[in-house]
Amino acid sequence: MVKPDFFIAGLGCSAGCLDVLKTFFANVPEQTGIAFVVVQHLSRNYVSILDKLLQSHTKLPIIRVLQDMEIRPDHIYLLPEGKFLLIRDGILRLIPRTTTHVVNYAVDIFFTSLAAYAGNKAIGIILTGMGTDGLEGARAIEGAGGIVFVQDPASAVFKGMPVSVITGDEPDVILPPAELAQALTKYYKTGEMKDDEGFEAAG
């Protein structure tokens, strides 16, 4: 399997994530060389307009993944309603979310595939949300040599997802949304996480 030559950041979130995503992407430069994939918990019949709501907060192109497509850096890709998302061989692939999927594990599903594909180029970012989705995916990313960023629960309206990863894993960075974006940019530039780079490593 050919591995990517750029970082791919998966952002997992559930309830309360709109304002967090606005803040995060407002602090991401136009050119980072990173591809961003937002995996948000969505009701099957809800028509998301997240692309329209986010566009005024970033200059990066925002794409709803409506068919299998090649991932490219400096783009934001959004999970559509009624689907799960995988990445294989550089292609974002949609799979149906059926009525048998009572519990939504969209973040774990994508993060696990991201770990398998991208290895040390995988970045998992867990933001506000209820439940524990993202924990297994975060473990997979770290196991593959990638890194995990988590929103500081003190800054999250819904703390379930961040707390589950903090208590069940050892994330590399725990910061509020704006600082997470800044830390990510510094990580891309240096490939390292050091306290003297201006952000704190977890633990």
Side-chain angles (χ1 to χ4, degrees), residues 67-118:
Q67 59 185 4
D68 292 354
M69 61 175 54
E70 182 179 0
I71 192 168
R72 295 191 293 166
D74 295 315
H75 287 67
I76 300 169
Y77 299 89
L78 305 181
L79 171 71
E81 54 279 350
K83 303 289 184 181
F84 290 130
L85 187 63
L86 303 171
I87 183 166
R88 291 175 179 161
D89 299 324
I91 304 297
L92 293 168
R93 303 184 185 278
L94 294 171
I95 56 175
R97 181 185 169 207
T98 68
T99 54
T100 61
H101 297 116
V102 178
V103 180
N104 192 338
Y105 287 111
V107 181
D108 280 336
I109 290 169
F110 179 73
F111 278 21
T112 301
S113 72
L114 178 62
Y117 167 61

mmCIF file of all heavy atoms in Angstrom, residues 67-118:
data_model
loop_
_atom_site.group_PDB
_atom_site.id
_atom_site.type_symbol
_atom_site.label_atom_id
_atom_site.label_comp_id
_atom_site.label_asym_id
_atom_site.label_seq_id
_atom_site.Cartn_x
_atom_site.Cartn_y
_atom_site.Cartn_z
ATOM 1 N N GLN A 67 -19.301 11.166 -3.183
ATOM 2 C CA GLN A 67 -18.898 9.986 -3.937
ATOM 3 C C GLN A 67 -17.439 9.715 -3.591
ATOM 4 O O GLN A 67 -16.787 10.532 -2.961
ATOM 5 C CB GLN A 67 -19.052 10.223 -5.445
ATOM 6 C CG GLN A 67 -18.236 11.400 -5.959
ATOM 7 C CD GLN A 67 -18.500 11.688 -7.420
ATOM 8 O OE1 GLN A 67 -19.349 11.053 -8.034
ATOM 9 N NE2 GLN A 67 -17.784 12.632 -7.976
ATOM 10 N N ASP A 68 -16.943 8.545 -3.992
ATOM 11 C CA ASP A 68 -15.547 8.244 -3.732
ATOM 12 C C ASP A 68 -14.676 9.301 -4.403
ATOM 13 O O ASP A 68 -14.881 9.628 -5.573
ATOM 14 C CB ASP A 68 -15.193 6.866 -4.276
ATOM 15 C CG ASP A 68 -15.890 5.749 -3.495
ATOM 16 O OD1 ASP A 68 -16.544 6.058 -2.490
ATOM 17 O OD2 ASP A 68 -15.769 4.584 -3.901
ATOM 18 N N MET A 69 -13.714 9.832 -3.660
ATOM 19 C CA MET A 69 -12.869 10.880 -4.227
ATOM 20 C C MET A 69 -11.473 10.847 -3.633
ATOM 21 O O MET A 69 -11.269 10.418 -2.490
ATOM 22 C CB MET A 69 -13.490 12.263 -4.026
ATOM 23 C CG MET A 69 -13.706 12.688 -2.591
ATOM 24 S SD MET A 69 -14.325 14.398 -2.468
ATOM 25 C CE MET A 69 -15.764 14.336 -3.513
ATOM 26 N N GLU A 70 -10.521 11.304 -4.419
ATOM 27 C CA GLU A 70 -9.134 11.363 -3.988
ATOM 28 C C GLU A 70 -8.959 12.505 -2.995
ATOM 29 O O GLU A 70 -9.464 13.609 -3.205
ATOM 30 C CB GLU A 70 -8.214 11.573 -5.187
ATOM 31 C CG GLU A 70 -6.732 11.609 -4.843
ATOM 32 C CD GLU A 70 -5.858 11.799 -6.052
ATOM 33 O OE1 GLU A 70 -6.411 11.910 -7.174
ATOM 34 O OE2 GLU A 70 -4.623 11.831 -5.894
ATOM 35 N N ILE A 71 -8.236 12.241 -1.915
ATOM 36 C CA ILE A 71 -7.999 13.268 -0.911
ATOM 37 C C ILE A 71 -6.788 14.107 -1.297
ATOM 38 O O ILE A 71 -5.809 13.590 -1.835
ATOM 39 C CB ILE A 71 -7.823 12.634 0.484
ATOM 40 C CG1 ILE A 71 -7.884 13.708 1.570
ATOM 41 C CG2 ILE A 71 -6.530 11.820 0.571
ATOM 42 C CD1 ILE A 71 -8.003 13.151 2.974
ATOM 43 N N ARG A 72 -6.884 15.401 -1.057
ATOM 44 C CA ARG A 72 -5.790 16.321 -1.389
ATOM 45 C C ARG A 72 -5.521 17.250 -0.211
ATOM 46 O O ARG A 72 -6.437 17.591 0.545
ATOM 47 C CB ARG A 72 -6.145 17.152 -2.623
ATOM 48 C CG ARG A 72 -6.288 16.332 -3.903
ATOM 49 C CD ARG A 72 -6.371 17.241 -5.122
ATOM 50 N NE ARG A 72 -7.596 18.027 -5.111
ATOM 51 C CZ ARG A 72 -7.804 19.088 -5.888
ATOM 52 N NH1 ARG A 72 -6.855 19.513 -6.707
ATOM 53 N NH2 ARG A 72 -8.951 19.727 -5.829
ATOM 54 N N PRO A 73 -4.265 17.674 -0.040
ATOM 55 C CA PRO A 73 -3.959 18.583 1.066
ATOM 56 C C PRO A 73 -4.610 19.943 0.872
ATOM 57 O O PRO A 73 -4.995 20.319 -0.244
ATOM 58 C CB PRO A 73 -2.428 18.688 1.022
ATOM 59 C CG PRO A 73 -2.041 18.303 -0.360
ATOM 60 C CD PRO A 73 -3.072 17.313 -0.824
ATOM 61 N N ASP A 74 -4.723 20.690 1.973
ATOM 62 C CA ASP A 74 -5.294 22.032 1.982
ATOM 63 C C ASP A 74 -6.739 22.054 1.491
ATOM 64 O O ASP A 74 -7.182 22.986 0.827
ATOM 65 C CB ASP A 74 -4.426 23.006 1.176
ATOM 66 C CG ASP A 74 -3.057 23.192 1.811
ATOM 67 O OD1 ASP A 74 -2.998 23.357 3.037
ATOM 68 O OD2 ASP A 74 -2.050 23.151 1.088
ATOM 69 N N HIS A 75 -7.470 21.013 1.825
ATOM 70 C CA HIS A 75 -8.909 20.921 1.587
ATOM 71 C C HIS A 75 -9.564 20.416 2.868
ATOM 72 O O HIS A 75 -8.937 19.708 3.658
ATOM 73 C CB HIS A 75 -9.245 19.970 0.443
ATOM 74 C CG HIS A 75 -8.918 20.493 -0.917
ATOM 75 N ND1 HIS A 75 -7.616 20.700 -1.341
ATOM 76 C CD2 HIS A 75 -9.714 20.860 -1.959
ATOM 77 C CE1 HIS A 75 -7.633 21.156 -2.584
ATOM 78 N NE2 HIS A 75 -8.893 21.271 -2.977
ATOM 79 N N ILE A 76 -10.844 20.759 3.040
ATOM 80 C CA ILE A 76 -11.655 20.253 4.146
ATOM 81 C C ILE A 76 -12.736 19.362 3.558
ATOM 82 O O ILE A 76 -13.512 19.801 2.700
ATOM 83 C CB ILE A 76 -12.299 21.394 4.953
ATOM 84 C CG1 ILE A 76 -11.229 22.322 5.541
ATOM 85 C CG2 ILE A 76 -13.189 20.832 6.066
ATOM 86 C CD1 ILE A 76 -11.807 23.596 6.124
ATOM 87 N N TYR A 77 -12.805 18.134 4.004
ATOM 88 C CA TYR A 77 -13.808 17.177 3.524
ATOM 89 C C TYR A 77 -14.803 16.900 4.643
ATOM 90 O O TYR A 77 -14.411 16.701 5.807
ATOM 91 C CB TYR A 77 -13.123 15.879 3.088
ATOM 92 C CG TYR A 77 -12.145 16.065 1.952
ATOM 93 C CD1 TYR A 77 -10.816 16.377 2.206
ATOM 94 C CD2 TYR A 77 -12.561 15.961 0.631
ATOM 95 C CE1 TYR A 77 -9.912 16.568 1.172
ATOM 96 C CE2 TYR A 77 -11.667 16.151 -0.409
ATOM 97 C CZ TYR A 77 -10.347 16.457 -0.140
ATOM 98 O OH TYR A 77 -9.468 16.663 -1.169
ATOM 99 N N LEU A 78 -16.082 16.867 4.308
ATOM 100 C CA LEU A 78 -17.139 16.683 5.294
ATOM 101 C C LEU A 78 -17.894 15.381 5.054
ATOM 102 O O LEU A 78 -18.275 15.068 3.915
ATOM 103 C CB LEU A 78 -18.139 17.846 5.236
ATOM 104 C CG LEU A 78 -17.593 19.269 5.390
ATOM 105 C CD1 LEU A 78 -18.741 20.267 5.321
ATOM 106 C CD2 LEU A 78 -16.809 19.422 6.686
ATOM 107 N N LEU A 79 -18.125 14.649 6.135
ATOM 108 C CA LEU A 79 -18.968 13.458 6.068
ATOM 109 C C LEU A 79 -20.412 13.866 5.819
ATOM 110 O O LEU A 79 -20.948 14.702 6.555
ATOM 111 C CB LEU A 79 -18.861 12.691 7.385
ATOM 112 C CG LEU A 79 -19.835 11.529 7.590
ATOM 113 C CD1 LEU A 79 -19.474 10.374 6.673
ATOM 114 C CD2 LEU A 79 -19.821 11.088 9.054
ATOM 115 N N PRO A 80 -21.084 13.289 4.825
ATOM 116 C CA PRO A 80 -22.511 13.601 4.630
ATOM 117 C C PRO A 80 -23.381 12.745 5.538
ATOM 118 O O PRO A 80 -22.934 11.741 6.105
ATOM 119 C CB PRO A 80 -22.737 13.230 3.163
ATOM 120 C CG PRO A 80 -21.758 12.127 2.907
ATOM 121 C CD PRO A 80 -20.547 12.428 3.763
ATOM 122 N N GLU A 81 -24.635 13.151 5.664
ATOM 123 C CA GLU A 81 -25.578 12.420 6.499
ATOM 124 C C GLU A 81 -25.869 11.043 5.888
ATOM 125 O O GLU A 81 -25.801 10.852 4.679
ATOM 126 C CB GLU A 81 -26.873 13.212 6.659
ATOM 127 C CG GLU A 81 -27.523 13.624 5.366
ATOM 128 C CD GLU A 81 -26.913 14.870 4.730
ATOM 129 O OE1 GLU A 81 -26.097 15.551 5.386
ATOM 130 O OE2 GLU A 81 -27.249 15.143 3.559
ATOM 131 N N GLY A 82 -26.186 10.089 6.768
ATOM 132 C CA GLY A 82 -26.581 8.757 6.312
ATOM 133 C C GLY A 82 -25.440 7.878 5.839
ATOM 134 O O GLY A 82 -25.681 6.827 5.243
ATOM 135 N N LYS A 83 -24.192 8.267 6.123
ATOM 136 C CA LYS A 83 -23.047 7.516 5.632
ATOM 137 C C LYS A 83 -21.990 7.361 6.720
ATOM 138 O O LYS A 83 -21.936 8.121 7.685
ATOM 139 C CB LYS A 83 -22.395 8.225 4.437
ATOM 140 C CG LYS A 83 -23.319 8.494 3.261
ATOM 141 C CD LYS A 83 -23.688 7.227 2.523
ATOM 142 C CE LYS A 83 -24.535 7.548 1.293
ATOM 143 N NZ LYS A 83 -24.934 6.316 0.570
ATOM 144 N N PHE A 84 -21.137 6.371 6.538
ATOM 145 C CA PHE A 84 -19.857 6.291 7.220
ATOM 146 C C PHE A 84 -18.783 6.559 6.189
ATOM 147 O O PHE A 84 -19.028 6.490 4.971
ATOM 148 C CB PHE A 84 -19.652 4.912 7.853
ATOM 149 C CG PHE A 84 -20.541 4.639 9.022
ATOM 150 C CD1 PHE A 84 -21.271 3.453 9.086
ATOM 151 C CD2 PHE A 84 -20.651 5.527 10.074
ATOM 152 C CE1 PHE A 84 -22.086 3.170 10.169
ATOM 153 C CE2 PHE A 84 -21.473 5.266 11.165
ATOM 154 C CZ PHE A 84 -22.195 4.085 11.211
ATOM 155 N N LEU A 85 -17.574 6.843 6.659
ATOM 156 C CA LEU A 85 -16.490 7.229 5.760
ATOM 157 C C LEU A 85 -15.242 6.434 6.094
ATOM 158 O O LEU A 85 -14.881 6.269 7.264
ATOM 159 C CB LEU A 85 -16.215 8.726 5.898
ATOM 160 C CG LEU A 85 -15.229 9.375 4.920
ATOM 161 C CD1 LEU A 85 -15.752 9.287 3.487
ATOM 162 C CD2 LEU A 85 -15.002 10.841 5.298
ATOM 163 N N LEU A 86 -14.584 5.942 5.047
ATOM 164 C CA LEU A 86 -13.302 5.258 5.159
ATOM 165 C C LEU A 86 -12.304 5.943 4.249
ATOM 166 O O LEU A 86 -12.680 6.655 3.309
ATOM 167 C CB LEU A 86 -13.415 3.793 4.725
ATOM 168 C CG LEU A 86 -14.426 2.882 5.414
ATOM 169 C CD1 LEU A 86 -14.499 1.553 4.666
ATOM 170 C CD2 LEU A 86 -14.037 2.651 6.860
ATOM 171 N N ILE A 87 -11.019 5.694 4.494
ATOM 172 C CA ILE A 87 -10.005 6.106 3.529
ATOM 173 C C ILE A 87 -9.131 4.899 3.225
ATOM 174 O O ILE A 87 -8.644 4.214 4.136
ATOM 175 C CB ILE A 87 -9.166 7.297 4.034
ATOM 176 C CG1 ILE A 87 -8.176 7.741 2.957
ATOM 177 C CG2 ILE A 87 -8.463 6.996 5.354
ATOM 178 C CD1 ILE A 87 -7.553 9.093 3.211
ATOM 179 N N ARG A 88 -8.966 4.635 1.932
ATOM 180 C CA ARG A 88 -8.141 3.527 1.469
ATOM 181 C C ARG A 88 -7.401 3.960 0.219
ATOM 182 O O ARG A 88 -8.015 4.490 -0.723
ATOM 183 C CB ARG A 88 -9.000 2.289 1.163
ATOM 184 C CG ARG A 88 -9.617 1.646 2.400
ATOM 185 C CD ARG A 88 -10.544 0.505 2.039
ATOM 186 N NE ARG A 88 -11.115 -0.126 3.227
ATOM 187 C CZ ARG A 88 -12.204 -0.893 3.212
ATOM 188 N NH1 ARG A 88 -12.840 -1.111 2.061
ATOM 189 N NH2 ARG A 88 -12.653 -1.437 4.333
ATOM 190 N N ASP A 89 -6.092 3.762 0.224
ATOM 191 C CA ASP A 89 -5.269 4.095 -0.941
ATOM 192 C C ASP A 89 -5.484 5.525 -1.415
ATOM 193 O O ASP A 89 -5.502 5.802 -2.617
ATOM 194 C CB ASP A 89 -5.547 3.112 -2.094
ATOM 195 C CG ASP A 89 -5.201 1.679 -1.702
ATOM 196 O OD1 ASP A 89 -4.213 1.490 -0.974
ATOM 197 O OD2 ASP A 89 -5.927 0.763 -2.124
ATOM 198 N N GLY A 90 -5.662 6.448 -0.469
ATOM 199 C CA GLY A 90 -5.813 7.851 -0.821
ATOM 200 C C GLY A 90 -7.192 8.247 -1.299
ATOM 201 O O GLY A 90 -7.397 9.384 -1.714
ATOM 202 N N ILE A 91 -8.138 7.325 -1.223
ATOM 203 C CA ILE A 91 -9.504 7.586 -1.683
ATOM 204 C C ILE A 91 -10.452 7.578 -0.489
ATOM 205 O O ILE A 91 -10.459 6.638 0.308
ATOM 206 C CB ILE A 91 -9.966 6.529 -2.713
ATOM 207 C CG1 ILE A 91 -9.008 6.469 -3.896
ATOM 208 C CG2 ILE A 91 -11.391 6.840 -3.185
ATOM 209 C CD1 ILE A 91 -8.932 7.750 -4.712
ATOM 210 N N LEU A 92 -11.246 8.647 -0.366
ATOM 211 C CA LEU A 92 -12.306 8.687 0.633
ATOM 212 C C LEU A 92 -13.485 7.897 0.099
ATOM 213 O O LEU A 92 -14.000 8.193 -0.991
ATOM 214 C CB LEU A 92 -12.712 10.140 0.913
ATOM 215 C CG LEU A 92 -11.643 10.995 1.600
ATOM 216 C CD1 LEU A 92 -12.040 12.469 1.560
ATOM 217 C CD2 LEU A 92 -11.406 10.541 3.034
ATOM 218 N N ARG A 93 -13.921 6.912 0.849
ATOM 219 C CA ARG A 93 -14.960 6.000 0.375
ATOM 220 C C ARG A 93 -16.147 6.032 1.331
ATOM 221 O O ARG A 93 -15.975 5.878 2.552
ATOM 222 C CB ARG A 93 -14.414 4.577 0.255
ATOM 223 C CG ARG A 93 -13.200 4.476 -0.661
ATOM 224 C CD ARG A 93 -12.735 3.049 -0.834
ATOM 225 N NE ARG A 93 -11.508 2.964 -1.604
ATOM 226 C CZ ARG A 93 -11.456 2.987 -2.936
ATOM 227 N NH1 ARG A 93 -12.578 3.085 -3.630
ATOM 228 N NH2 ARG A 93 -10.303 2.904 -3.566
ATOM 229 N N LEU A 94 -17.323 6.205 0.778
ATOM 230 C CA LEU A 94 -18.551 6.228 1.567
ATOM 231 C C LEU A 94 -19.140 4.830 1.668
ATOM 232 O O LEU A 94 -19.122 4.065 0.705
ATOM 233 C CB LEU A 94 -19.577 7.162 0.922
ATOM 234 C CG LEU A 94 -19.216 8.651 0.902
ATOM 235 C CD1 LEU A 94 -20.210 9.411 0.043
ATOM 236 C CD2 LEU A 94 -19.170 9.222 2.308
ATOM 237 N N ILE A 95 -19.676 4.515 2.857
ATOM 238 C CA ILE A 95 -20.429 3.283 3.025
ATOM 239 C C ILE A 95 -21.741 3.638 3.715
ATOM 240 O O ILE A 95 -21.803 4.591 4.490
ATOM 241 C CB ILE A 95 -19.650 2.226 3.840
ATOM 242 C CG1 ILE A 95 -19.229 2.783 5.209
ATOM 243 C CG2 ILE A 95 -18.426 1.764 3.082
ATOM 244 C CD1 ILE A 95 -18.563 1.748 6.104
ATOM 245 N N PRO A 96 -22.819 2.934 3.402
ATOM 246 C CA PRO A 96 -24.119 3.281 3.972
ATOM 247 C C PRO A 96 -24.159 3.080 5.481
ATOM 248 O O PRO A 96 -23.539 2.163 6.016
ATOM 249 C CB PRO A 96 -25.087 2.314 3.268
ATOM 250 C CG PRO A 96 -24.343 1.805 2.076
ATOM 251 C CD PRO A 96 -22.901 1.817 2.454
ATOM 252 N N ARG A 97 -24.871 3.954 6.153
ATOM 253 C CA ARG A 97 -25.179 3.762 7.563
ATOM 254 C C ARG A 97 -26.617 3.279 7.640
ATOM 255 O O ARG A 97 -27.554 4.034 7.410
ATOM 256 C CB ARG A 97 -25.001 5.062 8.338
ATOM 257 C CG ARG A 97 -25.292 4.900 9.832
ATOM 258 C CD ARG A 97 -25.236 6.218 10.566
ATOM 259 N NE ARG A 97 -25.764 6.059 11.919
ATOM 260 C CZ ARG A 97 -26.325 7.026 12.612
ATOM 261 N NH1 ARG A 97 -26.431 8.248 12.097
ATOM 262 N NH2 ARG A 97 -26.780 6.795 13.827
ATOM 263 N N THR A 98 -26.798 2.026 7.962
ATOM 264 C CA THR A 98 -28.122 1.434 7.938
ATOM 265 C C THR A 98 -28.803 1.576 9.294
ATOM 266 O O THR A 98 -28.203 2.009 10.283
ATOM 267 C CB THR A 98 -28.042 -0.062 7.569
ATOM 268 O OG1 THR A 98 -27.390 -0.767 8.643
ATOM 269 C CG2 THR A 98 -27.226 -0.259 6.293
ATOM 270 N N THR A 99 -30.057 1.168 9.348
ATOM 271 C CA THR A 99 -30.825 1.256 10.593
ATOM 272 C C THR A 99 -30.304 0.282 11.649
ATOM 273 O O THR A 99 -30.653 0.404 12.813
ATOM 274 C CB THR A 99 -32.307 0.967 10.327
ATOM 275 O OG1 THR A 99 -32.433 -0.299 9.650
ATOM 276 C CG2 THR A 99 -32.918 2.058 9.457
ATOM 277 N N THR A 100 -29.472 -0.684 11.250
ATOM 278 C CA THR A 100 -28.902 -1.609 12.231
ATOM 279 C C THR A 100 -27.781 -0.942 13.032
ATOM 280 O O THR A 100 -27.400 -1.439 14.084
ATOM 281 C CB THR A 100 -28.343 -2.865 11.533
ATOM 282 O OG1 THR A 100 -27.302 -2.480 10.618
ATOM 283 C CG2 THR A 100 -29.443 -3.588 10.777
ATOM 284 N N HIS A 101 -27.264 0.185 12.524
ATOM 285 C CA HIS A 101 -26.218 0.910 13.231
ATOM 286 C C HIS A 101 -26.873 1.873 14.227
ATOM 287 O O HIS A 101 -27.027 3.055 13.960
ATOM 288 C CB HIS A 101 -25.336 1.684 12.249
ATOM 289 C CG HIS A 101 -24.586 0.808 11.297
ATOM 290 N ND1 HIS A 101 -24.788 0.834 9.933
ATOM 291 C CD2 HIS A 101 -23.628 -0.125 11.520
ATOM 292 C CE1 HIS A 101 -23.993 -0.037 9.355
ATOM 293 N NE2 HIS A 101 -23.281 -0.631 10.288
ATOM 294 N N VAL A 102 -27.273 1.338 15.375
ATOM 295 C CA VAL A 102 -27.987 2.143 16.363
ATOM 296 C C VAL A 102 -27.044 3.157 17.007
ATOM 297 O O VAL A 102 -27.361 4.343 17.129
ATOM 298 C CB VAL A 102 -28.628 1.245 17.437
ATOM 299 C CG1 VAL A 102 -29.326 2.098 18.490
ATOM 300 C CG2 VAL A 102 -29.615 0.273 16.789
ATOM 301 N N VAL A 103 -25.875 2.695 17.413
ATOM 302 C CA VAL A 103 -24.869 3.579 18.004
ATOM 303 C C VAL A 103 -23.962 4.088 16.887
ATOM 304 O O VAL A 103 -23.512 3.314 16.042
ATOM 305 C CB VAL A 103 -24.046 2.841 19.075
ATOM 306 C CG1 VAL A 103 -22.997 3.781 19.673
ATOM 307 C CG2 VAL A 103 -24.956 2.294 20.162
ATOM 308 N N ASN A 104 -23.711 5.387 16.897
ATOM 309 C CA ASN A 104 -22.921 5.997 15.830
ATOM 310 C C ASN A 104 -21.440 5.959 16.201
ATOM 311 O O ASN A 104 -20.998 6.668 17.105
ATOM 312 C CB ASN A 104 -23.385 7.448 15.611
ATOM 313 C CG ASN A 104 -22.814 8.045 14.342
ATOM 314 O OD1 ASN A 104 -21.794 7.597 13.833
ATOM 315 N ND2 ASN A 104 -23.477 9.062 13.826
ATOM 316 N N TYR A 105 -20.688 5.145 15.474
ATOM 317 C CA TYR A 105 -19.239 5.066 15.675
ATOM 318 C C TYR A 105 -18.502 5.565 14.430
ATOM 319 O O TYR A 105 -17.486 5.002 14.023
ATOM 320 C CB TYR A 105 -18.813 3.635 16.012
ATOM 321 C CG TYR A 105 -19.188 3.214 17.414
ATOM 322 C CD1 TYR A 105 -20.159 2.253 17.644
ATOM 323 C CD2 TYR A 105 -18.566 3.806 18.516
ATOM 324 C CE1 TYR A 105 -20.500 1.874 18.934
ATOM 325 C CE2 TYR A 105 -18.911 3.442 19.809
ATOM 326 C CZ TYR A 105 -19.878 2.477 20.014
ATOM 327 O OH TYR A 105 -20.221 2.119 21.294
ATOM 328 N N ALA A 106 -19.012 6.632 13.848
ATOM 329 C CA ALA A 106 -18.429 7.155 12.613
ATOM 330 C C ALA A 106 -16.977 7.574 12.799
ATOM 331 O O ALA A 106 -16.155 7.412 11.890
ATOM 332 C CB ALA A 106 -19.257 8.340 12.109
ATOM 333 N N VAL A 107 -16.649 8.123 13.968
ATOM 334 C CA VAL A 107 -15.278 8.592 14.204
ATOM 335 C C VAL A 107 -14.322 7.410 14.316
ATOM 336 O O VAL A 107 -13.257 7.390 13.688
ATOM 337 C CB VAL A 107 -15.214 9.479 15.463
ATOM 338 C CG1 VAL A 107 -13.783 9.979 15.683
ATOM 339 C CG2 VAL A 107 -16.173 10.662 15.337
ATOM 340 N N ASP A 108 -14.694 6.405 15.103
ATOM 341 C CA ASP A 108 -13.853 5.218 15.218
ATOM 342 C C ASP A 108 -13.631 4.563 13.861
ATOM 343 O O ASP A 108 -12.515 4.131 13.537
ATOM 344 C CB ASP A 108 -14.496 4.199 16.162
ATOM 345 C CG ASP A 108 -14.266 4.522 17.632
ATOM 346 O OD1 ASP A 108 -13.275 5.217 17.946
ATOM 347 O OD2 ASP A 108 -15.078 4.080 18.466
ATOM 348 N N ILE A 109 -14.678 4.475 13.068
ATOM 349 C CA ILE A 109 -14.581 3.833 11.754
ATOM 350 C C ILE A 109 -13.588 4.576 10.868
ATOM 351 O O ILE A 109 -12.701 3.966 10.250
ATOM 352 C CB ILE A 109 -15.968 3.751 11.090
ATOM 353 C CG1 ILE A 109 -16.839 2.729 11.838
ATOM 354 C CG2 ILE A 109 -15.861 3.387 9.618
ATOM 355 C CD1 ILE A 109 -18.300 2.760 11.435
ATOM 356 N N PHE A 110 -13.708 5.910 10.816
ATOM 357 C CA PHE A 110 -12.792 6.654 9.951
ATOM 358 C C PHE A 110 -11.375 6.660 10.511
ATOM 359 O O PHE A 110 -10.400 6.446 9.772
ATOM 360 C CB PHE A 110 -13.264 8.087 9.736
ATOM 361 C CG PHE A 110 -12.301 8.860 8.873
ATOM 362 C CD1 PHE A 110 -12.224 8.605 7.513
ATOM 363 C CD2 PHE A 110 -11.445 9.794 9.425
ATOM 364 C CE1 PHE A 110 -11.316 9.273 6.712
ATOM 365 C CE2 PHE A 110 -10.525 10.471 8.637
ATOM 366 C CZ PHE A 110 -10.454 10.211 7.259
ATOM 367 N N PHE A 111 -11.234 6.916 11.808
ATOM 368 C CA PHE A 111 -9.896 6.982 12.407
ATOM 369 C C PHE A 111 -9.142 5.668 12.237
ATOM 370 O O PHE A 111 -7.935 5.659 11.992
ATOM 371 C CB PHE A 111 -9.990 7.328 13.893
ATOM 372 C CG PHE A 111 -10.139 8.792 14.190
ATOM 373 C CD1 PHE A 111 -10.612 9.684 13.243
ATOM 374 C CD2 PHE A 111 -9.820 9.296 15.441
ATOM 375 C CE1 PHE A 111 -10.759 11.037 13.522
ATOM 376 C CE2 PHE A 111 -9.944 10.646 15.736
ATOM 377 C CZ PHE A 111 -10.419 11.517 14.777
ATOM 378 N N THR A 112 -9.841 4.544 12.395
ATOM 379 C CA THR A 112 -9.188 3.241 12.252
ATOM 380 C C THR A 112 -8.679 3.048 10.828
ATOM 381 O O THR A 112 -7.559 2.564 10.613
ATOM 382 C CB THR A 112 -10.155 2.114 12.648
ATOM 383 O OG1 THR A 112 -10.573 2.308 14.011
ATOM 384 C CG2 THR A 112 -9.495 0.753 12.519
ATOM 385 N N SER A 113 -9.476 3.434 9.851
ATOM 386 C CA SER A 113 -9.028 3.323 8.456
ATOM 387 C C SER A 113 -7.905 4.308 8.167
ATOM 388 O O SER A 113 -6.975 4.006 7.408
ATOM 389 C CB SER A 113 -10.199 3.539 7.495
ATOM 390 O OG SER A 113 -10.615 4.906 7.457
ATOM 391 N N LEU A 114 -7.961 5.497 8.784
ATOM 392 C CA LEU A 114 -6.901 6.487 8.609
ATOM 393 C C LEU A 114 -5.581 5.968 9.168
ATOM 394 O O LEU A 114 -4.521 6.135 8.551
ATOM 395 C CB LEU A 114 -7.296 7.788 9.301
ATOM 396 C CG LEU A 114 -6.279 8.929 9.266
ATOM 397 C CD1 LEU A 114 -5.993 9.362 7.831
ATOM 398 C CD2 LEU A 114 -6.776 10.119 10.087
ATOM 399 N N ALA A 115 -5.638 5.330 10.330
ATOM 400 C CA ALA A 115 -4.426 4.758 10.919
ATOM 401 C C ALA A 115 -3.808 3.717 9.995
ATOM 402 O O ALA A 115 -2.587 3.703 9.778
ATOM 403 C CB ALA A 115 -4.755 4.138 12.279
ATOM 404 N N ALA A 116 -4.648 2.839 9.443
ATOM 405 C CA ALA A 116 -4.147 1.774 8.573
ATOM 406 C C ALA A 116 -3.534 2.333 7.297
ATOM 407 O O ALA A 116 -2.527 1.817 6.799
ATOM 408 C CB ALA A 116 -5.284 0.812 8.234
ATOM 409 N N TYR A 117 -4.122 3.398 6.775
ATOM 410 C CA TYR A 117 -3.630 3.966 5.519
ATOM 411 C C TYR A 117 -2.454 4.910 5.716
ATOM 412 O O TYR A 117 -1.424 4.798 5.045
ATOM 413 C CB TYR A 117 -4.757 4.707 4.790
ATOM 414 C CG TYR A 117 -4.251 5.569 3.654
ATOM 415 C CD1 TYR A 117 -3.580 5.013 2.569
ATOM 416 C CD2 TYR A 117 -4.433 6.953 3.672
ATOM 417 C CE1 TYR A 117 -3.098 5.806 1.535
ATOM 418 C CE2 TYR A 117 -3.955 7.748 2.650
ATOM 419 C CZ TYR A 117 -3.291 7.171 1.577
ATOM 420 O OH TYR A 117 -2.808 7.964 0.565
ATOM 421 N N ALA A 118 -2.571 5.849 6.638
ATOM 422 C CA ALA A 118 -1.618 6.954 6.714
ATOM 423 C C ALA A 118 -0.474 6.719 7.694
ATOM 424 O O ALA A 118 0.550 7.399 7.614
ATOM 425 C CB ALA A 118 -2.355 8.250 7.072
#
